[in-house]
Amino acid sequence: MAKTASPVLVLAGAEAGDLRALEDYRRAGGYASLEQARKLGSERVIAEIKESGIRGRGGAGFPMGQKASFIPAPEKTAKPIYLVVNADESEPGAFKDREIIERVPHRLIEGMQIAALAIQAEACFIYIRGEYLTGSEIFAAALAEAEAAGLVGIPITVHRGAGAYICGEETALLESLEGKRGQPRSKPPFPALVGLYDSPTLINNVETIATVPKIIELGGAAYAKIGVAGSTGTRLFSLSGNVVRGGNYELPHGTTFRELIEDCGGGISEGRKLKAIIPGGSSTPILGADQIDTPMDYASMEKAGSFIGSASVIVIDDRACMVQLALRLTQFYMNESCGKCTPCREGTRWLEMILRKIEEGRASRAELDLLLDVCDRILGNCLCPLGDSNAMIVASYVRHFRAEFEAHVEKGGCPVAATSSLTGVRSPVDELYRGRVGQEAAL
Amino acid sequence: MVELIDEIRAVADRYPERKSAVIPALRLAQEHYGYLTSEAFREVAAALGTTPAYCRGIASFYDMFELEPAGAHTIEICTNASCALVGAAQVLEAFERELGITAGETTPDGRVTLRSAECLGGCGRGTVVAIDHRYREPVRPEDVPAIVEELRRG
Ligand SMILES: Cc1cc2nc3c(=O)[nH]c(=O)nc-3n(C[C@H](O)[C@H](O)[C@H](O)COP(=O)(O)O)c2cc1C
Ligand code: SF4
Ligand code: FES
C-alpha cells in the first residue's frame, strides 16, 4: 500500500519542543480552528466531524460524529448538556494522552471548546487520572492562560481521579465524577441521553478531542483521505516493551507493526528476536511474531484476531515467559475489577489462582482446561468490558502459546524460568493478599 | 491559615452538585492529616453534607487514598507488562535492598513507603518509578541508591 509522507496532526508544531505556552501554540496556528468553528456554527461543525470519519481513540472506536449527533438539541431537553473528556488513561501500554496533555495542552483545550460548541454544551469537564499530577498541573496552567485570553467561552472544570483503572470506562467515570464509587452503569440508557447528573453528555477520549481542531482546519473530507478507508486519520501509537526506542509515534492508520517497531522504534532491543505483540493495550488479544506485517487499522486488526484498542503496542522478545505475562496482566484485572458483577469479580480471581498454579508448576492438565472453561464463563456475561477483556486475552495467550502452557504443567514449572525477563515480577495484588493459603483451598 | 472546611467548600463550588467534590475533598483532607483519619472523614462529610461512612466507602475504592499512616515519602514502582519486560522486578528488588524493607512496607523510621504499582502511563520509558507522585523514567537498578539517598536527606 503506497502511503504519502506521514502528516503530523495532533502533535503538530511540537516536533522541536512542547507547545505549553499560549504564545507558542498561537504561533503554530493555534485557536484559529476555534474561530473558524464559531463562524461555522454547531451543525456544520458536527457535519465536518462526521465527514472526517474519525472514530474514538479511547478503545471502542465509535464514530465521534455519530455520537455527537445523538446529543439532543438544547430546546429538546430540559437539562443542561455536558462535554466530558476522558483522560483516565490507565490501560497498561498506553501513554499517549499524557503526551498530548503535557505537550500540546492548548490543542486539547481548543478541541474541547469546539466540541462543546458543536453539541451546545453548557460546561465541560476533564477527568484526569490521579497519578498524572504533573500533567494536571500543566493542563491547569494552560487553561488559566487560555481563560485569561478570553478563549474559554464554555467553562472547563479539571477533575482529578484517585487511582482506579475502571474509571476509564465511560459510565464508571461519570459515577466517579458525581462523587460515587467508580462502578459502571448498565447501558442503555447511553450517556448521550442520560449522562452526567442524568443530563445529555458527550464523552470522548483526549486524543479524539485533540484531533478536532485539525479536522476543522483541514476540513472533514481532506482529513478522511489520511489513513485507510474505515480507519481515517493519524493515530498516536504508544510503543513500549523490548524495543530500542519506545515512545509515542503519530502515524497514519494502516501503518504496519513492522514499520512502527523497526523504522520508528529501531527494532528489538539487544538484538533479540520478536516473540509476540500486544497490539492495542493490555486488553487486546495477543498476536504472534509472524503477524508483524499486519496493518494497524480497525479492519486488519480484527482480521488478525485482535483489536486496535488504544493503539498501544507492547513488543515482547523471546525471553518472556507467556504464562508469567498472562499472570501479571490477570493480576491487574483482578485488582481493578470493581466487583459489581459476579463473573468478573469471581472469574478474574479464579483466573489468577489457576495461572499462578500453572506458573509455579503445581497445576494439572485438568486445571489448564479449567482455565479456558473459566474464560468461557466470564466472556459475554459481564456488565462492562473489563471482565471480558481478561478472559479474552488469557484465552489468546493459551491459543498462541499452548505448548508453553503445557510444558509448565508437564515439567512441573517454568521451562524458561532461569532466563525469563519476567521472573520475579510482582504486583500490587501480592502486597494486598499475602498469605494466600485460604484462597487456594477453594480451588 | 485557611481552614480545611473552607478549602473543601471552595472546591465544591466548582461543581453543579456538591457531592462531586468527594475525591478532591478527601485529597485535601489527606494532605492536611497525612492520612485519612476518623476526624478527616468527619470533616469531609460535614463540609459536603454527607456522612463519614459514605466518605469511607469512596476512599476505600480508590488506590491513592491512605487509610493508614504511610511514610513521609512514597516510592511506587510500575511492575505492569511494559516495565516488567524491561526489568521492573530488578528495580523493585534494588529498592527493597537499599531500604531494607519489602514492597508494601514502610521503613521503621517512617520516612519511606515502598509499593509496586499498576501501569503509571510512561510505558515507553520503563521502568517508571513515581516518587511522591512525580515520575522518574526510566529508572534502572543502578540508579536506585542515589534516589534513596536523596529521600533520606530530603
Ligand atoms: C475498563 C475500561 C477502561 C477504559 N479506559 C479508558 C481510558 O482510560 N480512556 C478512554 O478514553 N477510554 C477508556 N475506555 C473507553 C471508554 O469507555 C469510552 O469508550 C471512551 O472514553 C469514549 O471516547 P472515544 O469515543 O473518544 O474513544 C475504557 C473502557 C473500559 C471498559
Ligand atoms: S465487568 Fe468487572 S469491572 Fe466491569 S462492572 Fe463487572 S465487576 Fe465491574
Ligand atoms: S507498564 Fe509501566 S508505565 Fe505502563
Side-chain angles (χ1 to χ4, degrees):
Chain A
M1 205 180 318
K3 271 188 299 289
T4 44
S6 54
V8 174
L9 304 178
V10 177
L11 296 177
E15 294 86 349
D18 302 345
L19 292 182
R20 287 184 193 167
L22 177 57
E23 191 192 338
D24 295 336
Y25 183 59
R26 284 249 206 224
R27 208 174 302 127
Y31 290 105
S33 294
L34 177 57
E35 216 169 293
Q36 173 74 3
R38 287 193 178 126
K39 284 186 207 134
L40 290 173
S42 157
E43 259 172 59
R44 286 189 57 200
V45 169
I46 291 187
E48 293 294 337
I49 293 171
K50 272 190 177 156
E51 196 172 6
S52 76
I54 186 173
R55 296 170 68 165
R57 305 306 197 219
F62 196 83
M64 182 191 175
Q66 203 180 339
K67 195 153 75 177
S69 63
F70 292 154
I71 304 284
E75 60 275 14
K76 297 234 171 72
T77 167
K79 305 226 179 218
I81 294 165
Y82 296 118
L83 173 76
V84 174
V85 176
N86 189 341
D88 194 54
E89 185 165 74
S90 310
E91 168 102 342
F95 51 101
K96 67 190 179 64
D97 296 340
R98 179 178 156 212
E99 176 128 1
I100 293 170
I101 292 167
E102 293 187 0
R103 301 196 56 214
V104 288
H106 284 287
R107 189 158 285 134
L108 180 56
I109 294 167
E110 186 179 12
M112 288 175 79
Q113 289 300 300
I114 299 171
L117 176 155
I119 59 165
Q120 303 185 64
E122 184 181 295
C124 317
F125 295 86
I126 176 166
Y127 188 109
I128 305 183
R129 73 176 289 192
E131 290 84 352
Y132 285 178
L133 173 58
T134 302
S136 68
E137 288 169 353
I138 292 169
F139 185 84
L143 178 60
E145 226 191 326
E147 281 170 346
L151 292 160
V152 184
I154 304 166
I156 295 175
T157 302
V158 181
H159 185 86
R160 286 180 61 210
Y165 167 60
I166 190 58
C167 289
E169 194 282 332
E170 56 186 20
T171 60
L173 183 151
L174 295 176
E175 289 283 297
S176 179
L177 187 47
E178 289 180 8
K180 300 173 191 155
R181 296 164 75 89
Q183 294 186 304
R185 301 173 179 170
S186 53
K187 292 188 271 192
F190 290 93
L193 297 178
V194 184
L196 186 63
Y197 313 118
D198 290 341
S199 297
T201 305
L202 178 68
I203 306 180
N204 275 117
N205 170 259
V206 166
E207 186 184 349
T208 316
I209 294 291
T211 307
V212 169
K214 284 289 170 184
I215 291 174
I216 298 302
E217 181 187 318
L218 301 171
Y223 182 88
K225 293 207 183 86
I226 303 164
V228 296
S231 306
T232 61
T234 59
R235 195 74 183 249
L236 255 70
F237 291 97
S238 293
L239 181 64
S240 69
N242 303 121
V243 64
V244 176
R245 283 187 302 275
N248 288 305
Y249 296 96
E250 185 174 357
L251 301 163
H253 278 114
T255 305
T256 65
F257 288 111
R258 188 187 294 282
E259 291 167 308
L260 174 68
I261 296 169
E262 294 180 357
D263 301 346
C264 300
I268 313 299
S269 33
E270 296 166 47
R272 308 289 312 193
K273 252 183 71 196
L274 179 69
K275 179 170 185 175
I277 302 169
I278 295 178
S282 66
S283 301
T284 57
I286 201 158
L287 300 179
D290 57 343
Q291 290 173 294
I292 190 171
D293 290 307
T294 306
M296 298 182 288
D297 60 68
Y298 290 91
S300 305
M301 294 285 245
E302 280 185 40
K303 226 167 76 196
S306 192
F307 303 103
I308 196 165
S310 55
S312 311
V313 178
I314 306 177
V315 177
I316 299 157
D317 76 19
D318 56 352
R319 289 171 303 174
C321 163
M322 300 314 272
V323 177
Q324 285 173 333
L325 190 57
L327 171 62
R328 178 63 188 87
L329 287 174
T330 297
Q331 290 175 323
F332 168 73
Y333 290 97
M334 170 188 163
N335 197 21
E336 300 296 339
S337 167
C338 83
K340 188 164 177 173
C341 56
T342 315
C344 169
R345 184 186 63 242
E346 303 302 320
T348 54
R349 211 166 54 83
W350 274 72
L351 293 179
E352 200 264 351
M353 285 191 288
I354 303 168
L355 281 166
R356 184 178 285 262
K357 278 187 94 175
I358 296 174
E359 203 274 318
E360 291 174 355
R362 297 183 290 113
S364 65
R365 217 159 222 297
E367 280 166 323
L368 183 52
D369 295 336
L370 180 64
L371 182 73
L372 294 175
D373 188 55
V374 174
C375 290
D376 273 348
R377 284 161 197 257
I378 296 173
L379 255 177
N381 295 318
C382 296
L383 180 61
C384 91
L386 187 145
D388 283 352
S389 299
N390 195 3
M392 211 166 48
I393 63 161
V394 167
S396 82
Y397 283 58
V398 178
R399 194 165 57 243
H400 276 274
F401 299 97
R402 184 152 200 125
E404 216 171 300
F405 280 77
E406 282 174 349
H408 277 76
V409 172
E410 273 147 24
K411 299 203 173 75
C414 180
V416 294
T419 50
S420 168
S421 51
L422 295 162
T423 295
V425 76
R426 276 169 287 162
S427 83
V429 163
D430 295 307
E431 290 159 34
L432 293 168
Y433 305 88
R434 275 211 205 96
R436 316 170 46 82
V437 188
Q439 284 197 39
E440 286 204 358
L443 204 69
Chain B
M1 198 185 100
V2 193
E3 294 287 322
L4 178 61
I5 194 156
D6 298 323
E7 271 186 86
I8 293 175
R9 288 201 172 128
V11 172
D13 284 344
R14 290 192 218 141
Y15 296 89
E17 294 185 15
R18 253 198 314 184
K19 218 196 245 172
S20 277
V22 171
I23 287 180
L26 288 170
R27 187 179 286 118
L28 285 170
Q30 179 163 302
E31 281 163 13
H32 187 87
Y33 289 101
Y35 73 103
L36 291 170
T37 59
S38 297
E39 177 63 19
F41 285 121
R42 277 198 296 274
E43 279 205 55
V44 171
L48 297 178
T50 179
T51 65
Y54 181 84
C55 297
R56 268 181 204 277
I58 301 300
S60 66
F61 188 84
Y62 299 95
D63 293 340
M64 292 176 76
F65 291 123
E66 306 287 354
L67 302 174
E68 290 163 26
H73 299 287
T74 57
I75 305 179
E76 291 165 306
I77 293 106
C78 170
T79 63
N80 212 306
S82 306
C83 293
L85 287 164
V86 298
Q90 287 73 48
V91 175
L92 182 59
E93 281 160 20
F95 274 107
E96 289 181 329
R97 240 187 345 262
E98 207 60 35
L99 292 164
I101 53 172
T102 305
E105 294 176 346
T106 301
T107 53
D109 62 3
R111 283 201 71 72
V112 181
T113 296
L114 180 68
R115 293 182 178 129
S116 61
E118 297 298 6
C119 175
L120 291 167
C123 329
R125 292 176 295 274
T127 297
V128 180
V129 174
I131 293 163
D132 300 328
H133 306 295
R134 301 289 178 185
Y135 289 9
R136 307 277 175 103
E137 48 198 339
V139 172
R140 302 201 170 79
E142 57 269 28
D143 304 327
V144 169
I147 295 174
V148 170
E149 186 50 37
E150 183 190 318
L151 291 184
R152 283 218 175 95
R153 277 197 315 259

